[in-house]
Amino acid sequence: MAGRVLSTLILLLSILGCNSEDSASVATGGRIDPSYNGPAETDYCPGSTNYTGSTVTVSGTAKFTRRNPWGTEGAGNGGLGGALTTSPHPASEHPIRYAEVRITDPAGNLVQCGETDGTGAFSLTVPTGAVTYTLSVISRSYNSKLRASVLNRPEQNRFYSLSQTFTASSSVNLGVLMAKASGDNLGAAFNILDQFLEANEYLRSEVGNCSATLAGCLDFTVAPKVVAYWENGFNPNSYFGSSSGLSFYLPGYSRLFILGGNNGDVDNSDTDHFDNSVILHEYAHFLEDNIFTSDSPGGSHNGDRVIDPRLAWSEGWGNFFQAAVRNTAKYTDSLGNDDGTTRLIFDADLETADRDEPTTDGQGNFREFSVTRLLWDAVDANADGPTNGATDNVVSGKFNEIWAALTKSSDGFRDEAYAFRNIGHLHLAQVALNATDWSTIRTMERQHPDTRDYAQYVTTGACADESITPISTNTATNEHFQTNNRFYHFRPTSSATYTITLTYTDNTGPGVVDLDLYVYNKNARFMVAQDVIGYSHSQPSGLGTHTETVNVSLTAGTDYLINVNAYVGAGLGGTATFNLKVNGSQLCPATL
């Protein structure tokens, strides 16, 4: 979820090149592109060095300060707390856990390295001598607990460091090294790193051995390496020429960009470096991209309308995951902090259906917060409801079933038979587990337990005609996306030119119903011209039977989306029955 929870940007961008500079300090410089391959990141600590002769020990504890959100949604009624002792909503201190520690000599050469432990403590040895060394706790981890780096920008790839000098004439305890949440705001970099650790710890606790109870579930040990780019006062949306605050995940690159402010302003502008909901939401997209899989087309969403079910699933998953890790039914996003202007931009309660509530059966598959609530209800212990005539007092503690449905390579999101993945596919996979009955919470959210509303898999066969009754206006909640369309997943078994025919009957009156036919590639962004590989939208004349025909060259084993769209631009409506045929044979629903 991006900067503001309601404006995620998911982009695939071209690689533009690389350069050769490298440093452990943070400096200014030109920006090129979020996908830019800059200099290689400095090698991670190779392990401790054993020295012969006299050595001394340097020890201490590394911590960071975190500003905490408080209050309720609305202007001047909450935000990020500041001072540890004077604020009514204080900051808090946390250990920098399992992070790299480096000791360098005055020339910058690496002398010793190690890691902090689970309490933030460190203890390293260096040769005895009248030498002034620098000990630095680094904003990275690469171990069995976490694999992540927090860097400044892809054009430079410089890490952040919490440093202190010491002289090696005798052993020394440096005490507490504190990364603060003000000034250089170094605590923000370590907070981002700490949230990634929290996510990994949660997954290990919930699904570290899930295959023991759910066959095919992927046991979790540690997530692949991720890089988060963050700079104090910098808005990643500047890459796209916008001043609107934005955090985002870049698919295919394992890169997160976390909002650090705008034009150098941290105290009065939107920031996300202490908005753990946002950080974890973006990390959820990273997991989606690297551990299971995503078909999200990206695009606009505001948390209260019908959208592409693939996008609704992806954003709903991110909303849910942050809540699960934080163990709270909230999604919170703040602006500014106590040193300036502060308020909560967004404070969604996942226990209530106060936003994005479905109004018709199946519509929950098209709404991101419906997806969020369904997933939350599968793990929380509360008896939610009544909503839509049902009460959830049956399903709880089932993150393992969600994870199994996502990670199974057979009857799961990693199944190659799946395409155009959405919450309907998750339901299919969860039912295939033959585990818990989710029908109660699906009813609450008006979700269908399959893909009948989007990406219904079809093959040739014999079946009854279908019907469609479109709504005649493009409403503010975009309900027409579900009501005025049918979407079918077709995978040809041979490469050839195919004739796809839509035949429909208008029984309401001449020209009252006008159905059109579109064939999309696997990207399948709705009404995006470059994703349409064939279409037919002739104007019907008179009462009776009409046809739309598309001739397209299709590749064996490739996934395509066939869309029957009811045109209502002229206020048309009514009901039509229709069928689809490919090369003269009817297309019918089939099991994936």
Side-chain angles (χ1 to χ4, degrees), residues 16 85 110 144 180 200 221 223 236 258 268 298 328 332 334 350 387 414 477 522 562:
L16 299 178
T85 57
L110 183 65
S144 62
K180 297 181 179 180
N200 278 256
T221 54
I258 301 299
N268 301 285
T328 179
T332 305
S334 69
L350 308 186
T387 303
R414 296 170 66 203
T477 53
K522 193 171 183 179
I562 300 173

mmCIF file with all atom_site columns, all heavy atoms in Angstrom, residues 16 85 110 144 180 200 221 223 236 258 268 298 328 332 334 350 387 414 477 522 562:
data_model
loop_
_atom_site.group_PDB
_atom_site.id
_atom_site.type_symbol
_atom_site.label_atom_id
_atom_site.label_alt_id
_atom_site.label_comp_id
_atom_site.label_asym_id
_atom_site.label_entity_id
_atom_site.label_seq_id
_atom_site.pdbx_PDB_ins_code
_atom_site.Cartn_x
_atom_site.Cartn_y
_atom_site.Cartn_z
_atom_site.occupancy
_atom_site.B_iso_or_equiv
_atom_site.pdbx_formal_charge
_atom_site.auth_seq_id
_atom_site.auth_comp_id
_atom_site.auth_asym_id
_atom_site.auth_atom_id
_atom_site.pdbx_PDB_model_num
ATOM 1   N N   . LEU A 1 16  ? 18.003  1.417   -16.561 1.00 0.00 ? 16  LEU A N   1
ATOM 2   C CA  . LEU A 1 16  ? 18.597  2.483   -17.353 1.00 0.00 ? 16  LEU A CA  1
ATOM 3   C C   . LEU A 1 16  ? 20.113  2.457   -17.390 1.00 0.00 ? 16  LEU A C   1
ATOM 4   O O   . LEU A 1 16  ? 20.728  3.191   -18.153 1.00 0.00 ? 16  LEU A O   1
ATOM 5   C CB  . LEU A 1 16  ? 18.120  3.841   -16.821 1.00 0.00 ? 16  LEU A CB  1
ATOM 6   C CG  . LEU A 1 16  ? 16.598  4.049   -16.883 1.00 0.00 ? 16  LEU A CG  1
ATOM 7   C CD1 . LEU A 1 16  ? 16.252  5.402   -16.296 1.00 0.00 ? 16  LEU A CD1 1
ATOM 8   C CD2 . LEU A 1 16  ? 16.094  3.940   -18.297 1.00 0.00 ? 16  LEU A CD2 1
ATOM 9   N N   . THR A 1 85  ? 9.545   11.937  27.032  1.00 0.00 ? 85  THR A N   1
ATOM 10  C CA  . THR A 1 85  ? 9.069   12.278  28.380  1.00 0.00 ? 85  THR A CA  1
ATOM 11  C C   . THR A 1 85  ? 8.015   13.365  28.404  1.00 0.00 ? 85  THR A C   1
ATOM 12  O O   . THR A 1 85  ? 7.232   13.441  29.346  1.00 0.00 ? 85  THR A O   1
ATOM 13  C CB  . THR A 1 85  ? 10.250  12.734  29.246  1.00 0.00 ? 85  THR A CB  1
ATOM 14  O OG1 . THR A 1 85  ? 10.904  13.853  28.621  1.00 0.00 ? 85  THR A OG1 1
ATOM 15  C CG2 . THR A 1 85  ? 11.249  11.616  29.429  1.00 0.00 ? 85  THR A CG2 1
ATOM 16  N N   . LEU A 1 110 ? 38.145  -2.206  6.906   1.00 0.00 ? 110 LEU A N   1
ATOM 17  C CA  . LEU A 1 110 ? 37.369  -3.058  7.801   1.00 0.00 ? 110 LEU A CA  1
ATOM 18  C C   . LEU A 1 110 ? 38.316  -3.872  8.674   1.00 0.00 ? 110 LEU A C   1
ATOM 19  O O   . LEU A 1 110 ? 39.162  -4.621  8.185   1.00 0.00 ? 110 LEU A O   1
ATOM 20  C CB  . LEU A 1 110 ? 36.455  -3.984  6.990   1.00 0.00 ? 110 LEU A CB  1
ATOM 21  C CG  . LEU A 1 110 ? 35.532  -4.899  7.794   1.00 0.00 ? 110 LEU A CG  1
ATOM 22  C CD1 . LEU A 1 110 ? 34.501  -4.083  8.575   1.00 0.00 ? 110 LEU A CD1 1
ATOM 23  C CD2 . LEU A 1 110 ? 34.811  -5.882  6.861   1.00 0.00 ? 110 LEU A CD2 1
ATOM 24  N N   . SER A 1 144 ? 19.970  -15.770 9.491   1.00 0.00 ? 144 SER A N   1
ATOM 25  C CA  . SER A 1 144 ? 18.832  -16.683 9.547   1.00 0.00 ? 144 SER A CA  1
ATOM 26  C C   . SER A 1 144 ? 17.564  -16.008 10.042  1.00 0.00 ? 144 SER A C   1
ATOM 27  O O   . SER A 1 144 ? 16.483  -16.592 9.958   1.00 0.00 ? 144 SER A O   1
ATOM 28  C CB  . SER A 1 144 ? 19.154  -17.875 10.446  1.00 0.00 ? 144 SER A CB  1
ATOM 29  O OG  . SER A 1 144 ? 19.398  -17.438 11.778  1.00 0.00 ? 144 SER A OG  1
ATOM 30  N N   . LYS A 1 180 ? 18.162  8.287   16.786  1.00 0.00 ? 180 LYS A N   1
ATOM 31  C CA  . LYS A 1 180 ? 17.056  9.127   17.220  1.00 0.00 ? 180 LYS A CA  1
ATOM 32  C C   . LYS A 1 180 ? 15.979  9.295   16.145  1.00 0.00 ? 180 LYS A C   1
ATOM 33  O O   . LYS A 1 180 ? 16.215  9.061   14.965  1.00 0.00 ? 180 LYS A O   1
ATOM 34  C CB  . LYS A 1 180 ? 17.587  10.493  17.650  1.00 0.00 ? 180 LYS A CB  1
ATOM 35  C CG  . LYS A 1 180 ? 18.526  10.425  18.848  1.00 0.00 ? 180 LYS A CG  1
ATOM 36  C CD  . LYS A 1 180 ? 19.002  11.819  19.257  1.00 0.00 ? 180 LYS A CD  1
ATOM 37  C CE  . LYS A 1 180 ? 19.932  11.741  20.468  1.00 0.00 ? 180 LYS A CE  1
ATOM 38  N NZ  . LYS A 1 180 ? 20.403  13.092  20.887  1.00 0.00 ? 180 LYS A NZ  1
ATOM 39  N N   . ASN A 1 200 ? 9.181   -11.349 9.477   1.00 0.00 ? 200 ASN A N   1
ATOM 40  C CA  . ASN A 1 200 ? 9.816   -12.662 9.417   1.00 0.00 ? 200 ASN A CA  1
ATOM 41  C C   . ASN A 1 200 ? 9.574   -13.463 10.691  1.00 0.00 ? 200 ASN A C   1
ATOM 42  O O   . ASN A 1 200 ? 9.345   -14.676 10.636  1.00 0.00 ? 200 ASN A O   1
ATOM 43  C CB  . ASN A 1 200 ? 11.315  -12.512 9.153   1.00 0.00 ? 200 ASN A CB  1
ATOM 44  C CG  . ASN A 1 200 ? 11.652  -12.304 7.694   1.00 0.00 ? 200 ASN A CG  1
ATOM 45  O OD1 . ASN A 1 200 ? 12.124  -13.204 7.014   1.00 0.00 ? 200 ASN A OD1 1
ATOM 46  N ND2 . ASN A 1 200 ? 11.391  -11.106 7.194   1.00 0.00 ? 200 ASN A ND2 1
ATOM 47  N N   . THR A 1 221 ? 11.284  -20.142 6.645   1.00 0.00 ? 221 THR A N   1
ATOM 48  C CA  . THR A 1 221 ? 12.495  -19.986 7.456   1.00 0.00 ? 221 THR A CA  1
ATOM 49  C C   . THR A 1 221 ? 12.905  -18.520 7.502   1.00 0.00 ? 221 THR A C   1
ATOM 50  O O   . THR A 1 221 ? 12.894  -17.890 8.554   1.00 0.00 ? 221 THR A O   1
ATOM 51  C CB  . THR A 1 221 ? 13.632  -20.851 6.912   1.00 0.00 ? 221 THR A CB  1
ATOM 52  O OG1 . THR A 1 221 ? 13.834  -20.565 5.513   1.00 0.00 ? 221 THR A OG1 1
ATOM 53  C CG2 . THR A 1 221 ? 13.313  -22.333 7.079   1.00 0.00 ? 221 THR A CG2 1
ATOM 54  N N   . ALA A 1 223 ? 12.766  -14.912 4.674   1.00 0.00 ? 223 ALA A N   1
ATOM 55  C CA  . ALA A 1 223 ? 12.393  -14.419 3.345   1.00 0.00 ? 223 ALA A CA  1
ATOM 56  C C   . ALA A 1 223 ? 13.636  -14.067 2.530   1.00 0.00 ? 223 ALA A C   1
ATOM 57  O O   . ALA A 1 223 ? 14.699  -13.773 3.090   1.00 0.00 ? 223 ALA A O   1
ATOM 58  C CB  . ALA A 1 223 ? 11.495  -13.192 3.479   1.00 0.00 ? 223 ALA A CB  1
ATOM 59  N N   . PRO A 1 236 ? 9.395   9.449   -2.640  1.00 0.00 ? 236 PRO A N   1
ATOM 60  C CA  . PRO A 1 236 ? 9.676   8.604   -3.805  1.00 0.00 ? 236 PRO A CA  1
ATOM 61  C C   . PRO A 1 236 ? 8.805   8.913   -5.017  1.00 0.00 ? 236 PRO A C   1
ATOM 62  O O   . PRO A 1 236 ? 9.167   8.581   -6.149  1.00 0.00 ? 236 PRO A O   1
ATOM 63  C CB  . PRO A 1 236 ? 9.411   7.187   -3.291  1.00 0.00 ? 236 PRO A CB  1
ATOM 64  C CG  . PRO A 1 236 ? 9.614   7.279   -1.812  1.00 0.00 ? 236 PRO A CG  1
ATOM 65  C CD  . PRO A 1 236 ? 9.102   8.642   -1.441  1.00 0.00 ? 236 PRO A CD  1
ATOM 66  N N   . ILE A 1 258 ? 10.152  3.871   0.622   1.00 0.00 ? 258 ILE A N   1
ATOM 67  C CA  . ILE A 1 258 ? 9.392   4.333   1.778   1.00 0.00 ? 258 ILE A CA  1
ATOM 68  C C   . ILE A 1 258 ? 9.443   5.855   1.847   1.00 0.00 ? 258 ILE A C   1
ATOM 69  O O   . ILE A 1 258 ? 10.522  6.464   1.796   1.00 0.00 ? 258 ILE A O   1
ATOM 70  C CB  . ILE A 1 258 ? 9.925   3.723   3.083   1.00 0.00 ? 258 ILE A CB  1
ATOM 71  C CG1 . ILE A 1 258 ? 9.857   2.192   3.007   1.00 0.00 ? 258 ILE A CG1 1
ATOM 72  C CG2 . ILE A 1 258 ? 9.128   4.238   4.276   1.00 0.00 ? 258 ILE A CG2 1
ATOM 73  C CD1 . ILE A 1 258 ? 8.468   1.618   2.823   1.00 0.00 ? 258 ILE A CD1 1
ATOM 74  N N   . ASN A 1 268 ? 5.983   18.300  8.836   1.00 0.00 ? 268 ASN A N   1
ATOM 75  C CA  . ASN A 1 268 ? 4.656   18.782  8.444   1.00 0.00 ? 268 ASN A CA  1
ATOM 76  C C   . ASN A 1 268 ? 4.089   18.073  7.221   1.00 0.00 ? 268 ASN A C   1
ATOM 77  O O   . ASN A 1 268 ? 2.959   18.352  6.826   1.00 0.00 ? 268 ASN A O   1
ATOM 78  C CB  . ASN A 1 268 ? 4.702   20.291  8.158   1.00 0.00 ? 268 ASN A CB  1
ATOM 79  C CG  . ASN A 1 268 ? 5.176   21.079  9.355   1.00 0.00 ? 268 ASN A CG  1
ATOM 80  O OD1 . ASN A 1 268 ? 4.447   21.269  10.314  1.00 0.00 ? 268 ASN A OD1 1
ATOM 81  N ND2 . ASN A 1 268 ? 6.429   21.546  9.298   1.00 0.00 ? 268 ASN A ND2 1
ATOM 82  N N   . GLY A 1 298 ? -1.953  -3.460  -10.825 1.00 0.00 ? 298 GLY A N   1
ATOM 83  C CA  . GLY A 1 298 ? -1.689  -2.138  -10.273 1.00 0.00 ? 298 GLY A CA  1
ATOM 84  C C   . GLY A 1 298 ? -2.847  -1.202  -10.585 1.00 0.00 ? 298 GLY A C   1
ATOM 85  O O   . GLY A 1 298 ? -3.910  -1.619  -11.018 1.00 0.00 ? 298 GLY A O   1
ATOM 86  N N   . THR A 1 328 ? -3.211  -6.264  15.435  1.00 0.00 ? 328 THR A N   1
ATOM 87  C CA  . THR A 1 328 ? -4.233  -5.249  15.703  1.00 0.00 ? 328 THR A CA  1
ATOM 88  C C   . THR A 1 328 ? -5.084  -5.045  14.461  1.00 0.00 ? 328 THR A C   1
ATOM 89  O O   . THR A 1 328 ? -4.561  -5.041  13.346  1.00 0.00 ? 328 THR A O   1
ATOM 90  C CB  . THR A 1 328 ? -3.603  -3.905  16.121  1.00 0.00 ? 328 THR A CB  1
ATOM 91  O OG1 . THR A 1 328 ? -4.637  -2.948  16.350  1.00 0.00 ? 328 THR A OG1 1
ATOM 92  C CG2 . THR A 1 328 ? -2.654  -3.377  15.063  1.00 0.00 ? 328 THR A CG2 1
ATOM 93  N N   . THR A 1 332 ? -3.204  2.123   9.882   1.00 0.00 ? 332 THR A N   1
ATOM 94  C CA  . THR A 1 332 ? -3.003  3.507   10.303  1.00 0.00 ? 332 THR A CA  1
ATOM 95  C C   . THR A 1 332 ? -1.924  4.175   9.463   1.00 0.00 ? 332 THR A C   1
ATOM 96  O O   . THR A 1 332 ? -0.846  3.599   9.246   1.00 0.00 ? 332 THR A O   1
ATOM 97  C CB  . THR A 1 332 ? -2.596  3.554   11.787  1.00 0.00 ? 332 THR A CB  1
ATOM 98  O OG1 . THR A 1 332 ? -3.581  2.865   12.566  1.00 0.00 ? 332 THR A OG1 1
ATOM 99  C CG2 . THR A 1 332 ? -2.482  4.988   12.277  1.00 0.00 ? 332 THR A CG2 1
ATOM 100 N N   . SER A 1 334 ? -0.155  8.182   9.015   1.00 0.00 ? 334 SER A N   1
ATOM 101 C CA  . SER A 1 334 ? -0.089  9.505   9.634   1.00 0.00 ? 334 SER A CA  1
ATOM 102 C C   . SER A 1 334 ? 0.549   10.539  8.718   1.00 0.00 ? 334 SER A C   1
ATOM 103 O O   . SER A 1 334 ? 1.160   10.215  7.703   1.00 0.00 ? 334 SER A O   1
ATOM 104 C CB  . SER A 1 334 ? 0.712   9.439   10.939  1.00 0.00 ? 334 SER A CB  1
ATOM 105 O OG  . SER A 1 334 ? 2.078   9.189   10.642  1.00 0.00 ? 334 SER A OG  1
ATOM 106 N N   . LEU A 1 350 ? -10.525 -2.771  10.927  1.00 0.00 ? 350 LEU A N   1
ATOM 107 C CA  . LEU A 1 350 ? -10.778 -3.986  10.157  1.00 0.00 ? 350 LEU A CA  1
ATOM 108 C C   . LEU A 1 350 ? -11.822 -4.887  10.797  1.00 0.00 ? 350 LEU A C   1
ATOM 109 O O   . LEU A 1 350 ? -12.185 -5.919  10.230  1.00 0.00 ? 350 LEU A O   1
ATOM 110 C CB  . LEU A 1 350 ? -9.472  -4.761  9.968   1.00 0.00 ? 350 LEU A CB  1
ATOM 111 C CG  . LEU A 1 350 ? -8.292  -3.972  9.401   1.00 0.00 ? 350 LEU A CG  1
ATOM 112 C CD1 . LEU A 1 350 ? -7.121  -4.895  9.124   1.00 0.00 ? 350 LEU A CD1 1
ATOM 113 C CD2 . LEU A 1 350 ? -8.681  -3.204  8.154   1.00 0.00 ? 350 LEU A CD2 1
ATOM 114 N N   . THR A 1 387 ? -23.083 -9.224  9.988   1.00 0.00 ? 387 THR A N   1
ATOM 115 C CA  . THR A 1 387 ? -22.964 -8.530  8.714   1.00 0.00 ? 387 THR A CA  1
ATOM 116 C C   . THR A 1 387 ? -23.593 -9.415  7.657   1.00 0.00 ? 387 THR A C   1
ATOM 117 O O   . THR A 1 387 ? -23.241 -10.591 7.554   1.00 0.00 ? 387 THR A O   1
ATOM 118 C CB  . THR A 1 387 ? -21.488 -8.273  8.357   1.00 0.00 ? 387 THR A CB  1
ATOM 119 O OG1 . THR A 1 387 ? -20.886 -7.525  9.407   1.00 0.00 ? 387 THR A OG1 1
ATOM 120 C CG2 . THR A 1 387 ? -21.389 -7.483  7.062   1.00 0.00 ? 387 THR A CG2 1
ATOM 121 N N   . ARG A 1 414 ? 0.601   -20.945 -6.334  1.00 0.00 ? 414 ARG A N   1
ATOM 122 C CA  . ARG A 1 414 ? 1.782   -21.271 -7.138  1.00 0.00 ? 414 ARG A CA  1
ATOM 123 C C   . ARG A 1 414 ? 1.495   -22.340 -8.190  1.00 0.00 ? 414 ARG A C   1
ATOM 124 O O   . ARG A 1 414 ? 2.391   -22.757 -8.924  1.00 0.00 ? 414 ARG A O   1
ATOM 125 C CB  . ARG A 1 414 ? 2.925   -21.712 -6.231  1.00 0.00 ? 414 ARG A CB  1
ATOM 126 C CG  . ARG A 1 414 ? 3.402   -20.614 -5.292  1.00 0.00 ? 414 ARG A CG  1
ATOM 127 C CD  . ARG A 1 414 ? 4.372   -21.132 -4.242  1.00 0.00 ? 414 ARG A CD  1
ATOM 128 N NE  . ARG A 1 414 ? 5.607   -21.584 -4.828  1.00 0.00 ? 414 ARG A NE  1
ATOM 129 C CZ  . ARG A 1 414 ? 6.435   -22.456 -4.267  1.00 0.00 ? 414 ARG A CZ  1
ATOM 130 N NH1 . ARG A 1 414 ? 6.119   -23.004 -3.095  1.00 0.00 ? 414 ARG A NH1 1
ATOM 131 N NH2 . ARG A 1 414 ? 7.558   -22.798 -4.856  1.00 0.00 ? 414 ARG A NH2 1
ATOM 132 N N   . THR A 1 477 ? -19.449 4.068   -7.271  1.00 0.00 ? 477 THR A N   1
ATOM 133 C CA  . THR A 1 477 ? -18.729 2.936   -6.694  1.00 0.00 ? 477 THR A CA  1
ATOM 134 C C   . THR A 1 477 ? -18.313 1.926   -7.756  1.00 0.00 ? 477 THR A C   1
ATOM 135 O O   . THR A 1 477 ? -17.799 0.857   -7.433  1.00 0.00 ? 477 THR A O   1
ATOM 136 C CB  . THR A 1 477 ? -19.592 2.233   -5.637  1.00 0.00 ? 477 THR A CB  1
ATOM 137 O OG1 . THR A 1 477 ? -20.867 1.909   -6.204  1.00 0.00 ? 477 THR A OG1 1
ATOM 138 C CG2 . THR A 1 477 ? -19.787 3.108   -4.423  1.00 0.00 ? 477 THR A CG2 1
ATOM 139 N N   . LYS A 1 522 ? -2.397  -11.666 -21.140 1.00 0.00 ? 522 LYS A N   1
ATOM 140 C CA  . LYS A 1 522 ? -2.357  -12.035 -19.727 1.00 0.00 ? 522 LYS A CA  1
ATOM 141 C C   . LYS A 1 522 ? -2.334  -10.823 -18.799 1.00 0.00 ? 522 LYS A C   1
ATOM 142 O O   . LYS A 1 522 ? -2.741  -10.909 -17.648 1.00 0.00 ? 522 LYS A O   1
ATOM 143 C CB  . LYS A 1 522 ? -1.154  -12.929 -19.446 1.00 0.00 ? 522 LYS A CB  1
ATOM 144 C CG  . LYS A 1 522 ? -1.229  -13.600 -18.081 1.00 0.00 ? 522 LYS A CG  1
ATOM 145 C CD  . LYS A 1 522 ? -0.158  -14.652 -17.883 1.00 0.00 ? 522 LYS A CD  1
ATOM 146 C CE  . LYS A 1 522 ? -0.302  -15.342 -16.536 1.00 0.00 ? 522 LYS A CE  1
ATOM 147 N NZ  . LYS A 1 522 ? 0.716   -16.399 -16.339 1.00 0.00 ? 522 LYS A NZ  1
ATOM 148 N N   . ILE A 1 562 ? -11.176 -13.566 -21.765 1.00 0.00 ? 562 ILE A N   1
ATOM 149 C CA  . ILE A 1 562 ? -12.261 -13.201 -22.674 1.00 0.00 ? 562 ILE A CA  1
ATOM 150 C C   . ILE A 1 562 ? -13.293 -12.419 -21.873 1.00 0.00 ? 562 ILE A C   1
ATOM 151 O O   . ILE A 1 562 ? -13.741 -12.870 -20.817 1.00 0.00 ? 562 ILE A O   1
ATOM 152 C CB  . ILE A 1 562 ? -12.901 -14.447 -23.303 1.00 0.00 ? 562 ILE A CB  1
ATOM 153 C CG1 . ILE A 1 562 ? -11.843 -15.238 -24.096 1.00 0.00 ? 562 ILE A CG1 1
ATOM 154 C CG2 . ILE A 1 562 ? -14.060 -14.054 -24.209 1.00 0.00 ? 562 ILE A CG2 1
ATOM 155 C CD1 . ILE A 1 562 ? -12.349 -16.579 -24.614 1.00 0.00 ? 562 ILE A CD1 1
#
